[in-house]
Amino acid sequence: MDWIDLLYPPYTAMVLSYVVIGACMTPEGPIWSLTGLALLAYFLGVGVAAHCFDEVKGHPLGTNISDRILLAVGAISMALIGALALFGFLWLEYGWLPFYMPWLGLPESPRRGGIGLLAFAAVEAFFVFAYSLELFGGRFHNDFCFVFSWAFLPTLFGYYINALRLDLHAILLALAISMTAVIETRINHWVKRMSEDPRREYAPWIKEPQEAVQATVALTVLLAIALALWRALGPVGLI
């Protein structure tokens, strides 16, 4: 149960949904094998590593997992992401594919875009450590960095890894969908302040804000599912 709590499923689902939304908004449509690898990278980076490192700082999720195990799992996850990034760079730039991985179903290498992939990987890796471990005096542990690294960049990366370019509408889309993360963080801060009130006079008012957070998570996930179905199946008539 601790490991499920550690993954913090609602927000992990939101981050993965941002990747799918970005991928589905490419004019050419998503390349599902690349999108799948991007989802794996973000699951390891945010769902596992970032939450492991964040839990080391005072165990805010309340798990009983030791700090040593949390750091080890986080480090292993980041090493796997590094391997994925290196593999992605070599495939994008040189068409290199290990002989034992033809099952990935990757298309022909475009022979470009690897530097952009490494740039995204480097920036996101920085935030995994700087935000979650509160490095540099906690300077990067704030709502802006949270929304930028776990909402804006995942959406933009989902687009980039499929289109290998950044278009104006992709940036505007990433900004727009990032507002769901802004809403989520603002309401969560509000709920936390009310729940910590020693007089408990705000306790009856906590349920509705919590439901608003749940609705924001559901909105993001359902939008990703709808776009993925549309891109995979096309318009599906019901009546």
Side-chain angles (χ1 to χ4, degrees), residues 19-20 22-39 91-92 104-110 112 157-165 228 231-232:
V19 176
V20 172
C24 289
M25 294 308 294
T26 56
E28 302 85 355
I31 301 169
W32 294 111
S33 53
L34 291 177
T35 304
L37 290 173
L39 288 171
W91 176 78
L92 286 172
L104 285 175
L106 293 174
E108 184 179 351
S109 171
R112 62 185 178 87
F157 182 71
Y159 187 94
Y160 177 82
I161 198 60
N162 286 276
L164 295 183
R165 64 180 186 274
R231 282 299 198 176

Side-chain angles (χ1 to χ4, degrees), residues 37-102:
L37 290 173
L39 288 171
L40 175 60
Y42 270 96
F43 174 78
L44 291 172
V46 179
V48 180
H51 287 143
C52 281
F53 295 150
D54 195 58
E55 188 70 354
V56 170
K57 305 296 290 186
H59 287 248
L61 295 175
T63 71
N64 294 313
I65 305 170
S66 71
D67 289 352
R68 180 180 297 180
I69 292 177
L70 289 169
L71 290 171
V73 172
I76 292 170
S77 297
M78 292 305 293
L80 291 173
I81 293 171
L84 280 173
L86 178 60
F87 161 72
F89 171 78
L90 292 174
W91 176 78
L92 286 172
E93 292 290 337
Y94 306 107
W96 180 81
L97 184 68
F99 70 90
Y100 52 84
M101 297 182 72

Side-chain angles (χ1 to χ4, degrees), residues 9-11 13-14 17 180 184 212-223:
Y11 198 71
M14 285 185 77
S17 295
T180 58
E184 190 259 355
V213 171
Q214 294 167 1
T216 304
V217 174
L219 182 156
T220 310
V221 174
L222 288 173
L223 177 59

